[in-house]
Amino acid sequence: DVKVTQSSRYLVKRTGEKVFLECVQDMDHENMFWYRQDPGLGLRLIYFSYDVKMKEKGDIPEGYSVSREKKERFSLILESASTNQTSMYLCASSGSAYEQYFGPGTRLTVT
Amino acid sequence: SQQGEEDPQALSIQEGENATMNCSYKTSINNLQWYRQNSGRGLVHLILIRSNEREKHSGRLRVTLDTSKKSSSLLITASRAADTASYFCATDGVDSSYKLIFGSGTRLLVRP
């Protein structure tokens, strides 16, 4: 079974802090994704990566950056956390078969 | 950008009844997928239907796709309390089957 893990289930950070969210997949998938999920807005794509060191902006990249130095790991970085970045963050990966496999999510609160 | 919109937003049924959820989207697709999300957890892939398919089954799940109406439906038969979750449709784009756009979901409550 594909396993996607995220470094934290719950995270509380202060405004202005730099925040790292880590995601690791164990199925050698080429594609990895970061979403945020907010009530009433569904899932919105922040960034995705289709290969090591390759990335593309999604629908809401502002205030975020990503890093993919190894195939199995995709990191989301909040350069300077703000309260409007309080959200559930979901990582996913996919191979050639299009379906995405999700991690359990990180609920981030920025105070 | 294209987006799947689910209908209804919320659905409450009795255990044993069937649950039907609908999804509409705006532009041409290669594939449409359905996912389930239990409260506070990640999404789980349920089923993928290709644009040249009209119906697909998986266990108690039945998915239909009508590309002329740009709509899909998910039917869960003989529902169980464990089916209580949010259900999302996700569409890809003709330029990329890997990048999905998710709808806002249907919250299903199955009462014991």
Side-chain angles (χ1 to χ4, degrees), chain B residues 9-26:
Chain B
Q9 290 187 338
L11 182 60
S12 179
I13 60 173
Q14 204 73 35
E15 203 165 27
E17 294 179 340
N18 295 340
T20 300
M21 288 157 267
N22 303 296
C23 169
S24 60
Y25 57 92
K26 295 177 184 175

Side-chain angles (χ1 to χ4, degrees), chain A residues 9 31 33 35 37 40-43 45 48 57 59 88 90 94-100 102-104 107, chain B residues 1 3 31 33 35 37 40-45 48 50 88 92 96-105:
Chain A
R9 287 300 316 277
N31 309 298
F33 308 83
Y35 297 90
Q37 183 178 26
L41 296 177
L43 274 77
L45 181 65
F48 71 102
K57 292 180 180 179
D59 299 319
M88 170 73 104
L90 292 163
S94 73
S96 58
Y98 306 132
E99 57 256 42
Q100 294 187 10
F102 282 80
R107 190 167 293 281
Chain B
S1 62
Q3 183 178 19
N31 306 295
Q33 303 182 43
Y35 288 80
Q37 184 182 34
R41 309 294 296 185
L43 279 71
V44 174
H45 179 261
L48 179 150
R50 302 186 191 284
F88 296 87
D92 63 6
S96 170
S97 290
Y98 298 105
K99 184 180 166 185
L100 300 178
I101 296 179
F102 287 81
S104 52

Side-chain angles (χ1 to χ4, degrees), chain A residues 44-96:
Chain A
R44 293 180 291 168
L45 181 65
I46 305 172
Y47 266 99
F48 71 102
S49 169
Y50 49 92
D51 202 351
V52 176
K53 297 190 188 293
M54 306 302 286
K55 61 185 179 186
E56 269 195 42
K57 292 180 180 179
D59 299 319
I60 50 163
E62 296 78 19
Y64 303 94
S65 62
V66 291
S67 172
R68 193 161 180 206
E69 296 296 318
K70 293 184 178 181
K71 192 174 186 179
E72 67 271 18
R73 188 179 298 269
F74 191 35
S75 303
L76 179 69
I77 303 154
L78 286 67
E79 296 290 342
S80 177
S82 64
T83 54
N84 62 13
Q85 292 179 309
T86 291
S87 187
M88 170 73 104
Y89 289 88
L90 292 163
C91 174
S93 71
S94 73
S96 58

Side-chain angles (χ1 to χ4, degrees), chain B residues 42-106:
Chain B
L43 279 71
V44 174
H45 179 261
L46 295 176
I47 197 165
L48 179 150
I49 187 165
R50 302 186 191 284
S51 59
N52 61 356
E53 296 176 310
R54 291 296 166 257
E55 188 170 311
K56 202 162 182 180
H57 296 254
S58 177
R60 293 184 295 113
L61 305 180
R62 173 179 168 248
V63 169
T64 61
L65 179 64
D66 186 335
T67 52
S68 66
K69 294 181 179 178
K70 293 186 170 58
S71 67
S72 173
S73 67
L74 171 67
L75 169 68
I76 304 174
T77 59
S79 64
R80 305 166 182 167
D83 294 328
T84 293
S86 291
Y87 293 82
F88 296 87
C89 70
T91 53
D92 63 6
V94 291
D95 59 339
S96 170
S97 290
Y98 298 105
K99 184 180 166 185
L100 300 178
I101 296 179
F102 287 81
S104 52
T106 292

